[in-house]
Amino acid sequence: MLGKDHVSLTLGTVFPFTIPLIFSDNSHPVYAFCLLVAAAIGSLIPDADSDEKPKLHYDFKVIYDIMVPLHKLIVFSFAFFNLKEKMNLQYVVEKQHRGVMHSPIGVFISSFVLTLLITIVGYLIFHGINATFISLLFLGLILGQLLHLLEDSCTVSGINWLFPFGTRELKGSIYTGNKIEGKRDIRPFLYKLFLLFFSAILLIFHSLGTIDVNESGIYLLIFAVVALIWGLILLTAKIDNDNLWIHDAKNVRKLERTVDRIGKQDVGRKRRDLRK
Ligand SMILES: [Zn+2]
């Protein structure tokens, strides 16, 4: 999947959880912001082992610069174990970019090391540590990366979730590039739309007073709906039907632009409401 798809699907998944953080009586918008930024960064990290770097890797080159030595370190430390998939550890993947960074173990190690690095730098600058920020940073990085793996599990290359200890491959039928020239798979767009729609519904219900974001059960409700949406995403990603999913690239782009415009108008309206 493309870098921008990873960022938007990840933010679309994490954003509903930040709504209570932003709108409850005891709100912490800064915490929500920290979680979203960490998740966005996390959503780009696994592609550090990719041969074909997404454009966003060049826009935020610093993330990649940190991840390359980290990737090498993880590969080096794993080389001592007698692992089932040892041969695959170092493969510089060409068309299919799935190395150790595309595994839960790589996600955990890289999130841990990155959090540690940022904590040390933060401590040197501010002479103190904010435990909540550090926890949110770690949580965001882990979530962003695990969601990246879920998103890649929808593509034809798939993800081996047991890597490097075994093989349990989860794959779908979405091509990262275009399967047919001039045509595009509409699914990543539909998935974004689904997630966006849920956030919009939550915000509308909140403003109408239908749901109370102060209630403790709110996170459970959000989790249940997001899990349901992700169940649908993984299910439909497996359905290989060109007539259903592959459409004229121009029309898909037009649809994307329309949704963008509506989203921007909505944000503009909310800002004006807040100023009043
Ligand atoms: Zn990837």
Side-chain angles (χ1 to χ4, degrees):
M1 237 175 239
L2 300 172
K4 65 178 170 82
D5 289 334
H6 281 303
V7 174
S8 48
L9 285 170
T10 299
L11 289 182
T13 307
V14 178
F15 184 70
F17 292 94
T18 63
I19 289 176
L21 264 181
I22 301 170
F23 294 100
S24 66
D25 295 341
N26 186 18
S27 73
H28 295 285
V30 183
Y31 289 167
F33 181 72
C34 176
L35 186 69
L36 289 170
V37 170
I41 295 172
S43 77
L44 293 172
I45 291 175
D47 283 342
D49 67 10
S50 160
D51 218 25
E52 228 174 88
K53 307 276 172 317
K55 190 186 158 285
L56 282 166
H57 260 300
Y58 298 103
D59 295 343
F60 302 98
K61 205 173 160 296
V62 64
I63 302 171
Y64 176 65
D65 291 339
I66 298 171
M67 292 325 290
V68 170
L70 190 57
H71 177 214
K72 292 215 158 75
L73 183 81
I74 297 172
V75 169
F76 175 77
S77 46
F78 268 103
F80 292 103
F81 296 101
N82 189 16
L83 295 169
K84 226 174 162 182
E85 302 235 345
K86 196 170 184 170
M87 294 314 291
N88 284 342
L89 267 178
Q90 287 200 60
Y91 73 116
V92 177
V93 208
E94 277 158 30
K95 282 183 201 82
Q96 308 178 356
H97 64 276
R98 307 289 193 258
V100 71
M101 305 302 275
H102 277 83
S103 67
I105 189 109
V107 163
F108 183 79
I109 297 172
S110 60
S111 299
F112 181 77
V113 175
L114 256 187
T115 307
L116 195 71
L117 277 176
I118 295 172
T119 308
I120 293 169
V121 173
Y123 186 77
L124 290 174
I125 298 172
F126 301 109
H127 304 288
I129 293 170
N130 183 319
T132 313
F133 273 116
I134 301 298
S135 316
L136 284 170
L137 176 70
F138 183 66
L139 183 71
L141 288 175
I142 283 259
L143 275 177
Q145 294 205 75
L146 285 177
L147 284 166
H148 181 118
L149 299 196
L150 265 187
E151 286 144 20
D152 275 353
S153 296
C154 299
T155 65
V156 278
S157 322
I159 290 286
N160 174 7
W161 282 83
L162 290 183
F163 182 84
F165 305 106
T167 313
R168 160 71 66 206
E169 212 163 58
L170 197 62
K171 60 166 89 174
S173 60
I174 299 176
Y175 281 77
T176 300
N178 288 347
K179 190 178 178 186
I180 305 164
E181 195 60 36
K183 304 250 176 188
R184 249 179 74 185
D185 197 312
I186 201 167
R187 279 173 287 183
F189 167 69
L190 289 180
Y191 299 161
K192 279 179 237 175
L193 204 62
F194 258 133
L195 291 162
L196 209 73
F197 186 64
F198 174 51
S199 284
I201 293 276
L202 260 182
L203 285 172
I204 291 168
F205 278 6
H206 161 68
S207 57
L208 293 176
T210 318
I211 55 160
D212 184 0
V213 291
N214 293 297
E215 261 178 52
S216 54
I218 188 78
Y219 285 105
L220 202 67
L221 174 82
I222 294 170
F223 180 80
V225 178
V226 169
L228 189 76
I229 294 176
W230 263 101
L232 278 174
I233 290 178
L234 291 170
L235 210 70
T236 49
K238 279 202 171 288
I239 301 170
D240 192 9
N241 185 335
D242 285 0
N243 292 335
L244 205 58
W245 310 124
I246 311 290
H247 294 275
D248 201 48
K250 266 190 227 148
N251 291 342
V252 180
R253 249 196 315 272
K254 222 185 274 171
L255 267 174
E256 277 178 333
R257 271 199 293 258
T258 312
V259 172
D260 271 359
R261 217 175 303 133
I262 295 169
K264 271 177 198 146
Q265 277 168 0
D266 203 42
V267 170
R269 202 177 312 127
K270 280 217 174 63
R271 270 202 204 129
R272 280 196 296 278
D273 289 348
L274 279 174
R275 252 184 258 140
K276 270 179 204 162

